[in-house]
Amino acid sequence: MEFVLHISRFEGPLDLLLYLIEKNKFNLEELEICPIIDQYLDYINQMRCLNIELASEFLDMASYLIWLKSCLLLPSQVDIAQGGEQDPIEELKKMLATYREMKYAAQRLSERPLLFHDRFPRGWAEGDKELTKMNIASIMKAISSIKSRTKHYVMRIERARFTVKEMMRKITSVLKTRGKIYLVQMAGTDEKLEIVTILMAALELSRLSTVRLIQGKLFGEIYIVGKDSGVKD
Amino acid sequence: MRNSEIVEALIFSAEGALSIKDILNILPDASKQEIEDIVTELNRTYDRSGRSFMIEKVSNGYMFATKKEYSPYLRGLHKTKRLSNAAIEVLAVIAYKGPCSKQTVDNIRGVDSSSALRTLVDNHLVDIKAGRPLKYITTKRFLEVFGLNSISDLPDIAQFQEIFGEDQNIEQEEDLFL
Amino acid sequence: MRNSEIVEALIFSAEGALSIKDILNILPDASKQEIEDIVTELNRTYDRSGRSFMIEKVSNGYMFATKKEYSPYLRGLHKTKRLSNAAIEVLAVIAYKGPCSKQTVDNIRGVDSSSALRTLVDNHLVDIKAGRPLKYITTKRFLEVFGLNSISDLPDIAQFQEIFGEDQNIEQEEDLFL
């Protein structure tokens, strides 16, 4: 169980790989890649078993490593370092080396005495503060704050994709041909926004007494039936 | 570490005036009298050693200030006051949309911008162009303060969502500024 | 009035680091060397008289700040923020590889850096340069906060490699795998 560490301990897949390499006392240059790949995949699997939400980058790296391992095991069929092309293992090592440099640089940076933590500048009353902190970013921030305040201008495309009204129409028309539909069946994608739209549309239809929403048991699947259908609650 | 050093550091780093009560919160074993004596003694030391600053007693506490006699030199430092968020918003709109009228600025922001516009003009960040209606434009000073060579150095608004996208789901292509 | 008093008053009354250039604008008869000597002498005086602050050489200029040993007391007065590890990593990448795009930062770290970038921009440690793609750079504020005179004060990456005790010659090693 020593693998079960909090994923939040790692900044990303490269960080986790570096940890595994250090733990095995491997040298980045003469890296034995297979055991590291296995340990990485083990780790990811355990995280998934524990229902720990993993950032997509960890999973992307997992599938990449599975591919890499399959290449290593089948050298005759897939030549991973075809003439001229970059060797993926070398590339991975380079990425790890660069990341390790930056991680170390970050550690060194955070050891420096920090202003407002270890050193304090002369204090200024709020009103006396100067313009010195004005920069392009503050202009961009101002624009985005205007945008978020006047969202109706920027959300048009998104609303066109999943509108409650349209979803209501869709549900009504499906109900014409079928007695009942499970809410999840209405979803064409697995986007959260679509699920929310479906639920809102169903609630709205129920409010208008056009449909009835039925849930057989606690946490059971919710389905919709037409108002006049013979289905019992 | 002596209390006088700590008191000096506290007053030095405080934003605005620091009250004796605030000081006593951090040095609970000191007394009000002791703090007052420390400040008097510090000022005496500054005077004796020819420091150009001193601790002033203002209505609500103590604060550092440079002595009056240096003010002719300090005026050369060109302090420009910090802008409110509203003023930066107006400035941003004029930078991207200018020259434009107050009406345009108000429409885009959804609120009245009179007072922010006034601040910007007072700070020489925005200038007025004659006409009906009056038009507002950013100035050379604006470019200096924001470290731009020209107004075309401002990034494209469509690129903002890279870090300022409030929500990944919101597509910002359809926007007001196009 | 002596130049050293004026220099002290100028640095004392500036918010953030005051550049030597700004000081010379106000004291045109002084030389760069003279300013440097004045600051060295002032710091010596502060040390001798037990001042809790000193003049730091940061961001190609000078700034007053309290000495480290007072921080336990001063933290009681100020809200101190610490950057997340992610934010410091992003900052390190931008400091060493910048100006660079978000894509470069993401590639080096192997994860998306939007939110860390946003924090750094919000804290004025990183600014944006227009272009396609946008580039990120560290600011004067970054130098002030980390007490650096310039980016080149950062330790050399080549030094890190010695610490790792390998990577002496990546190019050569690569051949072995081809």
Side-chain angles (χ1 to χ4, degrees):
Chain A
M1 285 311 273
E2 84 186 286
F3 273 170
V4 184
L5 297 158
H6 281 295
I7 197 75
S8 57
R9 212 189 111 163
F10 300 104
E11 290 299 330
L14 295 175
D15 201 12
L16 174 52
L17 282 170
L18 278 185
Y19 163 79
L20 294 173
I21 291 167
E22 265 165 43
K23 190 170 153 297
N24 286 278
K25 299 197 169 63
F26 283 167
N27 179 312
L28 197 49
E29 279 322 291
E30 296 123 36
L31 183 60
E32 288 179 60
I33 195 79
C34 275
I36 295 299
I37 291 181
D38 291 342
Q39 289 177 27
Y40 182 93
L41 297 175
D42 265 1
Y43 186 93
I44 296 298
N45 272 334
Q46 290 192 45
M47 287 297 118
R48 297 181 83 174
C49 287
L50 294 168
N51 272 326
I52 290 170
E53 208 174 310
L54 284 166
S56 62
E57 289 94 350
F58 285 93
L59 303 176
D60 288 349
M61 178 60 81
S63 53
Y64 176 75
L65 292 178
I66 291 168
W67 171 80
L68 196 58
K69 195 180 167 191
S70 69
C71 292
L72 292 169
L73 296 176
L74 303 166
S76 55
Q77 289 175 17
V78 193
D79 186 359
I80 55 172
Q82 282 161 359
E85 268 182 51
Q86 185 61 266
D87 176 348
I89 294 177
E90 272 318 304
E91 222 169 316
L92 183 63
K93 281 190 195 170
K94 254 190 197 159
M95 277 171 75
L96 285 166
T98 309
Y99 176 66
R100 186 175 57 177
E101 269 169 23
M102 288 301 117
K103 192 174 145 73
Y104 188 72
Q107 274 162 13
R108 296 287 301 268
L109 209 50
S110 61
E111 285 160 8
R112 296 188 71 86
L114 271 187
L115 202 64
F116 297 109
H117 190 268
D118 306 296
R119 306 136 52 225
F120 290 82
R122 194 182 154 202
W124 295 91
E126 189 60 31
D128 294 337
K129 289 195 173 165
E130 292 179 61
L131 266 186
T132 45
K133 286 167 208 147
M134 301 284 90
N135 51 27
I136 297 184
S138 60
I139 291 275
M140 291 173 68
K141 224 159 93 185
I143 295 283
S144 53
S145 111
I146 297 174
K147 279 181 167 184
S148 60
R149 216 175 44 227
T150 53
K151 253 186 182 125
H152 52 285
Y153 285 108
V154 295
M155 289 190 70
R156 230 183 65 193
I157 292 178
E158 193 58 29
R159 282 201 309 209
R161 285 179 57 199
F162 303 111
T163 69
V164 174
K165 232 182 206 158
E166 220 175 78
M167 193 55 76
M168 285 165 70
R169 222 175 292 132
K170 228 166 116 187
I171 293 173
T172 321
S173 87
V174 177
L175 274 180
K176 275 182 193 146
T177 56
R178 288 158 62 178
K180 71 173 191 183
I181 329 155
Y182 285 100
L183 277 191
V184 291
Q185 288 179 308
M186 288 303 301
T189 68
D190 53 9
E191 282 189 56
K192 214 184 259 169
L193 199 63
E194 190 181 18
I195 308 284
V196 172
T197 313
I198 293 168
L199 185 63
M200 284 171 68
L203 290 171
E204 182 65 10
L205 285 169
S206 153
R207 190 182 69 83
L208 298 169
S209 308
T210 321
V211 303
R212 284 187 299 154
L213 294 179
I214 296 166
Q215 190 173 29
K217 59 174 196 277
L218 196 63
F219 303 121
E221 290 234 22
I222 302 171
Y223 58 93
I224 317 169
V225 296
K227 190 183 127 208
D228 303 314
S229 79
V231 180
K232 289 260 158 34
D233 284 10
Chain B
M1 203 172 291
R2 290 178 310 141
N3 273 357
S4 79
E5 293 168 32
I6 299 169
V7 168
E8 182 186 53
L10 286 169
I11 299 174
F12 175 87
S13 70
E15 294 194 353
L18 187 68
S19 68
I20 293 190
K21 200 172 136 255
D22 289 335
I23 299 174
L24 292 177
N25 273 339
I26 291 165
L27 295 174
D29 295 335
S31 69
K32 189 164 175 288
Q33 186 58 49
E34 192 184 342
I35 307 294
E36 281 173 9
D37 292 348
I38 284 175
V39 171
T40 310
E41 191 47 43
L42 282 171
N43 274 334
R44 210 170 282 153
T45 311
Y46 300 152
D47 253 352
R48 233 186 292 123
S49 62
R51 299 277 66 79
S52 54
F53 47 76
M54 60 174 294
I55 298 173
E56 282 183 357
K57 188 160 172 56
V58 290
S59 63
N60 46 347
Y62 296 111
M63 60 187 275
F64 268 101
T66 43
K67 291 183 182 163
K68 298 276 174 296
E69 55 261 46
Y70 301 97
S71 60
Y73 297 96
L74 302 183
R75 262 178 236 135
L77 281 180
H78 290 303
K79 279 202 188 184
T80 316
K81 297 272 157 129
R82 192 171 181 160
L83 297 175
S84 66
N85 287 339
I88 297 177
E89 277 190 18
V90 174
L91 195 55
V93 172
I94 296 173
Y96 277 96
K97 296 288 281 184
C100 64
S101 66
K102 174 173 175 299
Q103 190 58 51
T104 307
V105 179
D106 287 351
N107 286 349
I108 290 174
R109 293 187 59 231
V111 284
D112 181 72
S113 308
S114 313
S115 110
L117 263 174
R118 169 85 189 268
T119 310
L120 294 170
V121 172
D122 285 351
N123 277 294
H124 307 289
L125 294 167
V126 161
D127 207 354
I128 302 169
K129 254 176 94 168
R132 279 180 184 281
L134 294 176
K135 299 263 172 136
Y136 294 88
I137 44 168
T138 51
T139 60
K140 201 169 146 259
R141 167 105 181 108
F142 162 80
L143 296 176
E144 285 165 14
V145 168
F146 286 82
L148 297 162
N149 286 322
S150 83
I151 207 75
S152 57
D153 278 357
L154 285 172
D156 194 330
I157 285 175
Q159 297 178 289
F160 286 16
Q161 61 176 326
E162 180 168 304
I163 58 165
F164 289 111
E166 307 291 315
D167 183 336
Q168 305 296 337
N169 287 326
I170 299 172
E171 292 187 24
Q172 303 210 339
E173 288 150 44
E174 189 71 17
D175 79 54
L176 184 55
F177 288 90
L178 290 180
Chain C
M1 203 172 290
R2 291 179 309 142
N3 271 358
S4 82
E5 292 169 34
I6 299 170
V7 168
E8 181 187 53
L10 286 171
I11 301 172
F12 197 80
S13 64
E15 195 191 336
L18 185 67
S19 69
I20 297 187
K21 199 174 132 249
D22 285 339
I23 299 174
L24 293 177
N25 274 339
I26 292 165
L27 295 174
D29 295 335
S31 69
K32 192 166 173 282
Q33 187 57 49
E34 192 183 342
I35 307 293
E36 280 173 15
D37 292 346
I38 285 174
V39 170
T40 310
E41 192 46 43
L42 283 170
N43 275 334
R44 214 170 279 154
T45 311
Y46 300 153
D47 256 350
R48 234 184 289 124
S49 62
R51 298 279 66 76
S52 55
F53 45 73
M54 60 173 290
I55 299 175
E56 295 183 346
K57 189 158 172 51
V58 291
S59 182
N60 275 311
Y62 297 109
M63 182 179 85
F64 267 102
T66 56
K67 292 181 183 165
K68 259 198 305 188
E69 53 262 44
Y70 302 96
S71 60
Y73 298 95
L74 300 180
R75 280 179 208 149
L77 191 63
H78 301 273
K79 272 177 269 162
T80 64
K81 272 189 288 186
R82 277 221 150 234
L83 292 170
S84 67
N85 286 340
I88 294 183
E89 268 188 29
V90 173
L91 202 50
V93 173
I94 297 172
Y96 279 94
K97 313 271 177 186
C100 62
S101 67
K102 174 173 176 295
Q103 191 60 53
T104 305
V105 179
D106 287 351
N107 285 349
I108 290 176
R109 297 187 60 234
V111 283
D112 180 74
S113 306
S114 313
S115 108
L117 260 177
R118 172 81 194 255
T119 307
L120 295 171
V121 168
D122 283 349
N123 283 293
H124 307 284
L125 295 169
V126 161
D127 195 15
I128 298 161
K129 256 178 96 165
R132 293 196 170 272
L134 294 178
K135 299 267 170 115
Y136 295 87
I137 41 168
T138 52
T139 58
K140 177 172 174 266
R141 185 80 181 147
F142 163 76
L143 297 174
E144 290 170 6
V145 168
F146 286 86
L148 295 158
N149 194 41
S150 80
I151 278 291
S152 56
D153 274 5
L154 287 170
D156 196 336
I157 288 187
Q159 283 181 322
F160 300 169
Q161 291 178 349
E162 281 166 32
I163 292 153
F164 301 135
E166 46 186 82
D167 301 23
Q168 305 296 359
N169 203 331
I170 291 175
E171 303 310 312
Q172 236 175 40
E173 295 274 358
E174 222 173 330
D175 296 340
L176 297 174
F177 289 88
L178 287 177

